[in-house]
Amino acid sequence: MNSRNRITILLLQAAPYLLFLAILLVFGSLSDRFLSLANFTNIVIQAAPVAILAIGMTFVLLTAEIDLSVGAVMYLTGCILGLYLGGVPWPIGLMVVLVASALLGAVNGALVAYLGITSFIATLGTLFIGRGIAMSVSNTASVYFPEAITSLNRATVFGIPSAIVAVAVVFVIAWVLLQQTPFGRQVYAVGQDRDAATKAGLPARRIVFFCFVISGALAGMAGFVSSTQIGAITASYGLQAEFSAIAAAVLGGTSLFGGRGGVKGALFGALLIQTAANGLVIINANPYIYPLVTAGIIFIAVAVDGLRSHMLERLERRFIRPWEIA
Amino acid sequence: MLVSEAVSRRAEREAGRSRWKAAARFILSEYLVLALCVLYTLVMIPFVPEIATVEVWQNILSDMMPLLIVCLGQTIVLIIAGIDLSVTAIISLASVVGASIMTQSDGYLSGPLAAPAAMAAMLLVGAGIGLLNGLSITRLNMPAFMVTLATTNFFGGSAIWYTTFHSTTTSIYDLPDMFISIGDRDIAGIPIAVVIAVAAALIVHGVLAYTILGRWLYAVGKNPRTAYVSGVPVRTTILSAFILSGMLAALASIVYTARLQTGTPILGERILLDVIGAVVIGGTSLFGGKGKVIWTVFGVLFLVLIDTTLKLLGASLFVIYVIKGSVILAAALLDTLRTRYLGVR
Amino acid sequence: QSGKTIAVLFDGLYSEFWVAGMQIIKDEMKKRGYAVLEGISDKDDSKQFEQVRAMIARKVDGIIIVQTDSKAVIPAIRAANRANIPMVHFNRPPAESDAYSVAVVADNQTIAREAVLHSCRTAKQAGGKFKAAILIGNLGDPNAIQRRDGFQEAVSQFSDTIEVVARIPTEWNSDKAFAGLTNALQANPDINFLFTSSDFLIPQITQALKSANKWAPIGDPKHVIFTGFDGFPTAYELMEQKYMDACGVQNLFFETKLAIDAIIQMQEGKKPEKVLLDPGFAITQANMMEKREEMWGYTLLKQKKSG
Amino acid sequence: MKTNQRADQPLLSVEGITKSFFGVRVLHGVSFELWPGEALGLVGENGSGKSTSMNILGGVHQPDGGRMSLAGQLYAPQSPREAGRAGIAFIHQELNLFPNLSIEENLFITDFPKRGGVPFIDRGWVRKRARELLAEVDLDLPPTRLVGNLAQGERQLVEIAKALHADAKVLILDEPTTSLTRREVERLFAIVNRLKSRGVGIIFISHALEDVMHVCERVTVLRDGAVVGTDLRERLNVPAIISMMVGRSIDAIFPERSTKPREEVALRVRGLTQRGVANDVSFDIRAGEVVGLSGLMGSGRSELARLIFGLDPIESGTIEVAGTRLMRPTPKASMAAGLAFLTEDRRNEGLLMDASIVDNIGLTFLKRFRVGPGFVGGKALNTTAGELARMVHLSTDRVQDTLAKHLSGGNQQKVVIAKWLLRRPKVFILDEPTRGIDVGAKQEVYRIINRLVEEGGAVFLISSEIEEVMGLSDRILTINKGEITGSFERSGFDREAILAAAMAPVGPKREATA
Ligand SMILES: Nc1ncnc2c1ncn2[C@@H]1O[C@H](COP(=O)(O)OP(=O)(O)OP(=O)(O)O)[C@@H](O)[C@H]1O
Ligand SMILES: Nc1ncnc2c1ncn2[C@@H]1O[C@H](COP(=O)(O)OP(=O)(O)OP(=O)(O)O)[C@@H](O)[C@H]1O
Ligand SMILES: [Mg+2]
Ligand SMILES: [Mg+2]
């Protein structure tokens, strides 16, 4: 591999980050408030719920399944938290939310992995049922969270805002789980080829099941973090959250067909989308162009990724005559 | 060869022994969703007796039509293992573009040509966005999900913005009668919308079942590598699928717009999950290579039927959500049980 | 009257306003011996049209409707006319047409203008320059547009005092509102004048202002002059605690009464005016005590407190 | 090896296993025994039920009837996982690796070693053990390489390494040598012998009967889903096995051709170069000629074929088919000019596994059945596909409703051949055309090749079986590292010379030695 090639590969690998940088520079040149530490902190805090959601979704996508019910899980567990756990200390509230959402994820997992229902349909069904139950317990009215929970938004750990701590913890655990444990590697195997994985002796069903449990639990976590931020939820809470989560995950390079991607990408995708939205507000852009600009940025990011992986594939192919490439 | 003869003879014998079973299988495989529709209707009669009236079935039929047209396009795209999230934006943008051309208050065109020209423009919008989707996927190596997510946000946003230049409110009204008649007139007793949808369904069925393009679509969906090595123009095939999907969405937009007599930029914003849901419930696979028009027809019927009964029930939103979710799950469960125990499909 | 049915078709239950409106209508109708059928269209005019047809097929005796689009509802009105079923629009008027229906409307633009004007005067009295932000609703929703325009009218009369530095689209989505306002406060830490197009965003506004360390009652130098709209219970609480300066109130009870009366009149063959106006009002720190009885949020709050 | 010194009970016994798919019975009571430390050869025609029997042993399918016992215990695995736990290791005919994972991850995917108590993978140990296993199968690759970047043969070696790690009681090898060249095959035999001496029982499935005779103490012959006989190697010979398999004897394996190559050139390749893949490759194939390409694993044979067919881009050089130059080769353009290409990767590039036989066959030439604008004449297609299926002796005639994935491996290969025959190619590039097919079928393929050539077609034959190349070709080219290193006329065919040419140094090494 000669040095020119190596530089090309490095550049290509860094392409998404370069694009990110370009976006920062454009917004930065339009508003001097944009490029500040405080604003970046803001971006990460705001991206936190979607990032957590996307990390959970990544597990499901890696097994070539999909989870449309995450928004409903957020809404339902949010209602439980706001309506029934107003008085308890927040760590207990969080535990209950996590357990409840993991159970909801387990329902999805059981429907998909053990009963063999296509995940799109299964989670579409649970989406409706989940939202329906949430509406009925809240009577479709707003659910307000007590000060104990909303004040968490302003809490910090060693000076780091709580939402960032939450994302960081979730990210590290998820990354270690996927990259450093047998379960994680088996998730990739199952996602690549379910039949082959079964033949190889992997408990494919159980693995898929647990991915849904993880997605459910992280949906609850995301809901908790966003509850601390927005203070109250209404009947539209979490609507279409599944699309934001899938978008962030896929933007970060995870394939809808399984076996490819990772949580780093999910985090990156969520941050990129949030950065664009943040930049537009900061430069006080015309509200009508918001969706146009964000969509444009997503499009460019995906296009760059597509071209990049195409070229990387070509450059990194093994050759029979390696000395000619060197 | 000995083996083949023996095997096929045995197969014949077994087939003969259980002809009734084969018949049951046949019905269950292709017409399960239809059977479920019948079953569901029967179950619902005590709760909403109106379901047994002609008027309600006319409503069901007319409600099905535009949704069916969009779903036809989605079926094609799912067959090639793609997905088209942009259909909703196409419906919205085509609606306001068409309306802005033909509206009698300050439209671009007037006179008898306004409506046909507007409809052509609407189809063009669909084809154009489909082309953009297709090119991005084939030339830029982008995943269909992301491409169409980006285009749906972009063109959905554009539709809202576009409207502000043509109307002081949020929609465009005063469409010519010729256009509106698509929504409320009949040809020989059959509503025009039904004629359009049935024609579209027949054409798409024809393409999928009897043409070279149809076979290419399935082949690309099953395995694009093999298709490419076998000389199939994979890129053109993918491109065609997205253009067709775009144009069918635009055609649906014509029907929706005519029915509401208004071009609105949020038309169709909410139907995405219904569209994909109906197609997948019908039996088309999200992983490509599998799908049929008739399945989609049944899937759409199933969803519209549920929706209609729930509307007639007039129950509160959460009851409706829970029932709808449960019915979808129950149908899916039946589907897998029969796959498991009868070994069909 | 018994044995009669009425359909209540809303386009969504996205805020307390609609939830309360739906509840008040249902309670009132039941009190008068009607059975109530519900339908929520989820901002899909096409679906709502289908709902209207389904209700016609069920032969209801009247339809109270909240459409999303003023023009797209006209075919539904025509269908109701053909079936001879009275139709009343609740809170959102349809566009002009030959079809007959009655609309109960609040004067959004005026109410918003009046409320914001009060806040503008407060600002002017306080002296100095003010940086304003507005949380705009869904750009496809006429009420959101009217409220924005009312705000615009008011502040433009005070252009020497007030400069609008942030227009935040929320799409009626609380996450977006929270993020948008936080970002705006980031870009313009000196924002000290705020209008929200709906009170349902109050929790997010509270959160964002607290984070920016700008949540302070009237009189505190950090106070942000805050104008609400709708007249939610939470809005009343904030008025009482002196965090909110003014709020545009739609008179929900009055609107409900107008709507139901209109339906009954139409059933009796009368033809009420096509538009019945709820003038609404702006509740301000100045007139709070005398006006609060008309504020639905206050009434609900009182009910909740009493049990 | 003390194979005659038997233990007192068989390691594995299989009694009267039956199995049907969709109402069609494919196994009619298969019975055999496997003793510790022996290798049992399992042979039979394509579709005779070898893989199905093994899939039942390996827990992939459950039998409809019959019983199995493993080391005296009743054995009825419900899943491959259970089978694996019971001590059965299985190398499937269709390789079962995950291209998105590295070699080492593939090796340990079912039982990653964990680091003392904590649930994390002990990467250091994994790396070390992976190196050992790869060394054992003589595969010199870094364990971190993605399996997706490996050649077929290399993948097969990874599978073998994986099975070695499993430390099983019974090792099932379902056609493990199809992508291996002689050297690796010898290596595999050494491994098998070592395992036997450790008391492992081995079931060895192959269509290379000489190999079976070489490593197996006993041979079981399957026909039509039933065992027709089991006997000791000493009492058998290859022709006897063949006649048991097919019910008749097969004589000359390479049928004679009645025609000689013609004058006109069917395929002319000049100066074909692609950096890193091929260097200045030039040769001609005349109409009516078979040219074989011989080389070691990874020598670039398949790569060369792909370049010619337009599957990979070329930097310079020209390709002419029957006198017309291919300007920008793509599969479509090449096919239009008269080329056909049977790829070695049947599963991913050769077949639509989820499509029917007809759909697979028709795919290459749908235009031929065009009726009206863009429509396909389904009837004509079905008829023609049926004829082709018979021509290649496919085991089933239900071509419309049998999916490719439900065919046995060899029959799948026949479908791929049939789909290219549909185009009546002028030049047919065959990459490992007889991989995984039985002797009878092989002879059938040879006949097909001959017929094609006799009708004026040209064949470019790539095969790892040197006998096959020598038996069929008019001329043999050797290749190493993407360069042609030798050319032999039929009269001068010599095994040793060809092998030597295939190993001739090229590239910088050659310059260094020169
Ligand atoms: N999953 C399946 N569904 C339906 N039929 C199957 C399935 N698996 C195998 N068969 C059928 O069972 C028969 C036996 O196939 P099997 O794969 O066992 O043959 P084989 O002896 O391994 O042949 P080969 O030498 O070609 O690999 C074939 O006729 C095949 O079509
Ligand atoms: N130095 C190498 N040694 C072994 N394999 C290599 C080497 N370089 C590349 N390869 C791999 O081998 C393949 C190229 O070998 P190719 O398949 O063309 O050779 P072949 O002689 O046809 O081998 P096979 O026996 O696998 O068909 C490529 O897929 C490549 O990944
Ligand atoms: Mg086999
Ligand atoms: Mg090869």
Side-chain angles (χ1 to χ4, degrees), chain D residues 148-163:
Chain D
N149 291 338
L150 303 187
Q152 284 297 323
E154 294 169 338
R155 293 185 195 200
Q156 213 155 36
L157 291 175
V158 173
E159 277 274 24
I160 293 166
K162 190 174 160 187

Side-chain angles (χ1 to χ4, degrees), chain B residues 7 20 68 83 123 129 132 142 152 158 161 180 196 211 258 267 274 299 339:
Chain B
V7 166
W20 68 270
L68 173 61
I83 193 164
L123 291 176
I129 297 177
L132 177 64
M142 296 163 73
T152 200
S158 308
W161 198 16
I180 288 174
I196 293 178
T211 66
L267 191 69
D274 276 355
T339 315

Side-chain angles (χ1 to χ4, degrees), chain A residues 33 42 46 228 230 278 284, chain C residues 16 165 183 186-187 204 207:
Chain A
R33 298 251 174 217
N42 241 332
Q46 286 160 11
T228 67
I230 61 177
N278 171 285
N284 197 17
Chain C
E16 208 117 349
V165 293
N183 295 341
Q186 185 66 44
Q204 291 80 50
Q207 285 291 78

Side-chain angles (χ1 to χ4, degrees), chain B residues 12 48 73 95 142 167 174 256 321:
Chain B
E12 273 161 30
V48 271
S95 177
M142 296 163 73
S167 167
D174 258 340
Y256 275 125
Y321 268 46

Side-chain angles (χ1 to χ4, degrees), chain C residues 26-235:
Chain C
K26 275 195 334 199
D27 292 349
E28 187 65 27
M29 284 324 268
K30 282 190 185 136
K31 221 184 285 168
R32 301 192 191 201
Y34 281 81
V36 176
L37 298 176
E38 293 180 45
I40 305 289
S41 68
D42 209 9
K43 293 193 179 151
D44 183 340
D45 291 305
S46 202
K47 184 167 173 188
Q48 193 167 53
F49 178 62
E50 293 168 6
Q51 284 170 338
V52 169
R53 286 202 313 205
M55 291 309 165
I56 293 172
R58 268 210 78 166
K59 304 196 169 49
V60 295
D61 301 287
I63 297 173
I64 294 179
I65 191 168
V66 178
Q67 72 277 2
T68 305
D69 188 273
S70 60
K71 293 163 179 168
V73 73
I74 292 171
I77 308 176
R78 293 214 174 97
N81 284 173
R82 276 198 298 275
N84 217 0
I85 294 174
M87 182 179 267
V88 171
H89 305 264
F90 182 74
N91 201 272
R92 283 193 197 138
E96 277 296 312
S97 78
D98 53 357
Y100 175 73
S101 59
V102 172
V104 173
V105 295
D107 190 343
N108 276 291
Q109 197 158 337
T110 313
I111 301 173
R113 189 181 60 223
E114 290 310 316
V116 177
L117 275 176
H118 170 85
S119 298
C120 292
R121 281 184 221 110
T122 313
K124 180 134 193 161
Q125 268 167 23
K129 289 278 188 191
F130 280 80
K131 295 275 173 73
I134 170 178
L135 291 166
I136 308 171
N138 196 330
L139 292 166
D141 176 350
N143 285 350
I145 302 296
Q146 285 173 17
R147 292 170 203 176
R148 179 197 66 188
D149 293 347
F151 166 82
Q152 207 63 47
E153 274 177 29
V155 290
S156 57
Q157 292 177 27
F158 287 82
S159 49
D160 50 340
T161 323
I162 296 167
E163 180 201 353
V164 181
V165 293
R167 296 181 180 79
I168 303 152
T170 68
E171 299 171 27
W172 290 143
N173 175 327
S174 36
D175 304 331
K176 292 224 163 87
F178 174 72
L181 182 57
T182 307
N183 295 341
L185 289 168
Q186 185 66 44
N188 305 282
D190 46 357
I191 284 176
N192 48 7
F193 191 101
L194 180 63
F195 173 68
T196 173
S197 298
S198 169
D199 287 342
F200 96 89
L201 298 173
I202 284 176
Q204 291 80 50
I205 293 169
T206 315
Q207 285 291 78
L209 288 177
K210 275 184 183 166
S211 297
N213 196 21
K214 293 170 93 59
W215 185 246
I218 295 168
D220 190 307
K222 285 189 302 192
H223 174 67
V224 174
I225 296 182
F226 184 17
T227 317
F229 196 100
D230 279 338
F232 271 45
T234 40

Side-chain angles (χ1 to χ4, degrees), chain D residues 123-139:
Chain D
R123 293 273 180 190
W125 189 91
V126 163
R127 186 86 20 103
K128 201 169 117 268
R129 182 84 182 108
R131 287 222 175 85
E132 287 167 17
L133 287 169
L134 291 181
E136 223 171 320
V137 297
D138 210 11
L139 187 58

